[in-house]
């Protein structure tokens, strides 16, 4: 994308001998913070609202009372304008425009062609471009997919579905495993606390490693891993809300009809986003089927 | 994309009773354009370099340099700050934040997570997001 396609071509200018008061009005009328300063059609500088503010009397009443001698009528744009402003050519890339705006901390850059100013690129207009891009990305669907991993038989299908969906929608993928608080001393009465802590830590590290290993590195996806503790339903719902997940993917658990279905139902009822339940070996998990669906 | 997915500017936090001269020095030292004003853990306002610049007396002041310096140590951030700045949460969709910033004609939003200030989302942060989006990068 080139600067010429997004610059605004209708803009006001001020001359360097314009009284500062008039320039201030022009800035207010244009609802902008930066206005180009021209002499005989050629750009000679930029006038920023903040420079006018800094030049003028104090905004604090106790100081402003001593500014009584200040009179804006005698000042012209020349007193506040920045000379030798940086400019862009119409063929410059939007990339260059953004770099210039960010590095110089400006909110508008003039576009100049053969010594005369032809347009202005403003931060505001660029935010509009970003907004269009975000809106169109949003319409295509998902932004963050959260896959619940219990390392049971449904895991492979759920992860494969998550990977396929994340890739298709260019979404971020997060794998979540919930450690159940089974180290509580009922099973191991009398064990020292340090030992339980150590075992818990080891399990956490091990599970983290297992999660990372689930997604092949060459998938090119941005994959995050998360280990939560506590009751699975509550922990998953809490993480899904914290991450603002757009889709929760869980594997179904046919072998544990009672427990498995219970958790799935709980998630469907309480999750802050839609829940996709994937049967082991179901078709969504394969890349080709998603590819066909997307085509 | 959500607000917490983009790089946020770490906030410079000032108390409302910070003097204007100290605030100016701190902001310049950090090289930032805004600082948040927090009173007892609660966000009360935001102060910009522009507001600090506008508070300085003009060249035509009848005060001496010493008097100006003295008064600037008595004026506090709370006198000059913008009260009730625009706030977004880390999980706000980014397009809502961009729309808010564009429509309200501001350059900065405060990112708060349950009353705690997490960072500032500046227009420059958003321009960097635009820089990172693929289509622009692909066709320079």
């Amino acid at each position: 994308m080139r600067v010429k396609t997004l610059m605004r071509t209708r803009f006001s200018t001020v001359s360097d001998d314009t009284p500062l008061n008039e320039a201030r009005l022009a800035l207010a009328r244009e609802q902008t913070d930066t206005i180009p300063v021209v002499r005989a059609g050629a750009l000679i500088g930029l006038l920023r609202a903040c420079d006018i503010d800094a030049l003028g009397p104090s905004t604090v009443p106790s100081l402003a009372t001593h500014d009584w001698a200040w009179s804006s009528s005698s000042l012209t744009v020349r007193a506040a304008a920045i000379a030798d402003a940086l400019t862009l050519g119409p063929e410059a890339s939007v990339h260059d425009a953004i770099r210039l705006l960010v590095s110089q901390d400006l909110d508008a850059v003039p576009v100049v062609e053969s010594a005369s100013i032809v347009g202005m690129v403003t931060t505001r207009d660029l935010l509009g471009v970003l907004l269009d891009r975000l809106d169109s990305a949003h319409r295509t669907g998902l932004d963050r997919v959260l896959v619940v991993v219990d390392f049971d038989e449904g895991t492979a299908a759920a992860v494969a579905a998550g990977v396929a969906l994340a890739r298709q929608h260019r979404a971020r993928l997060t794998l979540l495993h919930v450690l159940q608080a089974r180290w509580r001393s009922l099973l191991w009465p009398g064990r020292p606390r340090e030992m339980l802590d150590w075992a818990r830590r080891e399990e956490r590290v091990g599970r983290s490693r297992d999660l990372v290993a689930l997604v092949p590195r060459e998938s090119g996806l941005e994959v995050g891993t998360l280990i939560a503790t506590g009751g699975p339903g509550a922990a998953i719902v809490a993480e899904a809300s914290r991450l603002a997940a757009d889709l929760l993917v869980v594997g179904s658990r046919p072998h544990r009809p009672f427990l498995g279905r219970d958790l799935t139902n709980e998630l469907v009822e309480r999750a802050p986003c839609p829940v996709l339940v994937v049967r082991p070996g179901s078709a969504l998990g394969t890349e080709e089927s998603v590819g066909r669906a997307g085509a | 994309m959500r607000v917490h997915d983009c790089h946020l500017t770490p906030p410079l936090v000032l108390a409302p009773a910070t003097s204007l001269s100290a605030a100016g020095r701190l902001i310049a030292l950090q090289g930032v354009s805004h600082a948040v004003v927090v009173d007892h853990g609660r966000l009360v306002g935001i102060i910009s370099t522009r507001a600090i610049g506008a508070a300085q007396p003009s060249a035509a002041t009848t005060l001496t340099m010493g008097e100006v310096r003295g008064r600037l140590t008595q004026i506090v951030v709370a006198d000059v700050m913008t009260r009730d700045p625009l706030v977004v949460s880390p999980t706000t969709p980014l397009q809502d934040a961009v729309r808010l910033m564009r429509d309200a004609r501001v350059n900065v939003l405060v990112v708060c997570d349950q009353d705690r200030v997490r960072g500032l989302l500046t227009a420059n942060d958003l321009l960097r997001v635009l820089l990172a989006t693929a289509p622009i990068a692909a066709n320079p």
Side-chain angles (χ1 to χ4, degrees):
Chain A
M1 205 188 223
R2 308 262 168 213
V3 156
K4 62 180 175 191
T5 60
L6 66 84
M7 67 185 186
R8 54 175 68 187
T9 50
R10 293 167 63 105
F11 53 90
S12 318
T13 58
V14 289
S15 145
D16 63 337
D17 50 15
T18 308
L20 212 50
N21 277 342
E22 264 178 49
R24 194 197 295 266
L25 289 177
L27 280 166
R29 200 170 47 235
E30 290 286 301
Q31 298 191 311
T32 174
D33 282 336
T34 309
I35 197 165
V37 183
V38 296
R39 190 192 292 151
L43 178 82
I44 55 167
L46 281 182
L47 180 68
R48 298 184 302 173
C50 59
D51 295 325
I52 303 182
D53 286 353
L55 201 67
S58 173
T59 49
V60 180
S62 65
L63 285 173
T65 51
H66 298 276
D67 272 323
W68 58 269
W70 194 81
S71 136
S72 56
S73 55
S74 59
L75 287 173
T76 60
V77 164
R78 203 173 296 130
I82 324 172
D84 52 77
L86 293 166
T87 62
L88 288 165
E91 294 297 328
S93 69
V94 172
H95 233 118
D96 296 335
I98 295 175
R99 264 196 227 112
L100 196 60
L101 284 165
V102 171
S103 66
Q104 302 295 315
D105 204 20
L106 292 168
D107 62 5
V109 176
V111 182
V112 171
E113 191 174 27
S114 51
S116 64
I117 174 165
V118 292
M120 291 285 280
V121 180
T122 66
T123 300
R124 233 174 107 69
D125 294 342
L126 286 168
L127 289 184
V129 174
L130 176 62
L131 198 56
D132 289 345
R133 202 150 288 175
L134 289 170
D135 278 341
S136 66
H138 189 67
R139 274 195 294 278
T140 64
L142 308 171
D143 191 36
R144 193 183 280 275
V145 176
L146 182 64
V147 180
V148 180
V149 174
D150 58 2
F151 297 106
D152 213 337
E153 63 174 319
T155 293
V159 171
V163 166
L165 285 167
R167 194 177 280 167
Q168 190 185 5
H169 293 273
R170 289 204 215 123
R172 259 153 291 220
L173 181 68
T174 306
L175 304 179
L176 168 69
H177 178 66
V178 182
L179 288 180
Q180 303 203 31
R182 66 183 127 120
W183 296 109
R184 257 186 226 133
S185 47
L186 272 182
L187 284 177
W188 282 6
R191 295 290 167 128
R193 203 188 156 72
E194 292 71 27
M195 197 169 163
L196 294 182
D197 285 347
W198 175 82
R200 224 175 275 164
R201 225 169 17 243
E202 282 298 293
E203 188 182 19
R204 188 174 267 268
V205 170
R207 285 311 198 187
S208 244
R209 213 174 293 138
D210 296 345
L211 281 181
V212 173
L214 281 174
V215 178
R217 189 161 298 177
E218 60 273 17
S219 69
L221 281 175
E222 195 184 321
V223 183
T225 60
L226 263 180
I227 304 281
T229 43
I236 294 166
V237 169
E239 289 299 330
S241 337
R242 193 178 63 82
L243 291 172
D246 297 306
L247 180 71
L248 191 60
V249 183
V250 294
S252 71
R253 304 200 275 182
H255 277 310
R256 286 196 281 167
F258 180 66
L259 265 179
R261 214 162 278 160
D262 219 32
L263 176 60
T264 310
N265 280 345
E266 186 184 353
L267 290 178
V268 169
E269 270 164 30
R270 295 183 44 209
C273 58
V275 180
L276 173 66
V277 184
V278 186
R279 236 185 3 251
S282 64
L284 180 69
T286 64
E287 287 281 292
E288 302 80 66
S289 65
V290 171
R292 271 204 305 279
Chain B
M1 247 184 127
R2 310 270 168 176
V3 166
H4 61 61
D5 293 324
C6 62
H7 168 81
L8 299 179
T9 305
L12 170 64
V13 180
L14 300 174
T18 313
S19 74
L20 211 54
S21 53
R25 270 201 305 277
L26 283 168
I27 287 183
L29 204 64
Q30 298 266 314
V32 291
S33 56
H34 294 85
V36 291
V37 185
V38 171
D39 189 16
H40 294 102
R42 210 171 55 83
L43 175 74
V44 290
I46 190 162
I47 187 162
S48 63
T49 44
R50 180 175 170 181
I52 293 178
Q56 312 289 325
S58 73
T61 184
T62 52
L63 298 169
T64 64
M65 293 268 274
E67 283 171 326
V68 168
R69 225 172 287 137
R71 279 171 196 246
L72 283 177
T73 56
Q74 283 158 24
I75 296 166
V76 293
V77 162
D79 299 333
V80 180
M81 70 183 184
T82 308
R83 281 165 209 281
D84 301 321
L86 293 173
V87 172
V88 290
S89 121
T91 54
T92 304
L94 202 59
Q95 53 264 48
D96 294 353
V98 176
R99 204 169 280 124
L100 182 65
M101 186 181 285
R102 196 189 56 167
D103 297 347
R105 296 175 185 279
V106 293
N107 286 328
V108 66
L109 301 173
V110 185
V111 182
C112 277
D113 190 4
Q114 290 164 353
D115 279 0
R116 267 185 70 94
V117 177
R118 294 278 166 208
L120 292 176
L121 184 65
T122 63
N124 281 352
D125 293 331
L126 290 172
L127 289 186
R128 286 194 196 96
V129 173
L130 182 58
L131 205 55
T133 50
I136 284 185
N139 316 303

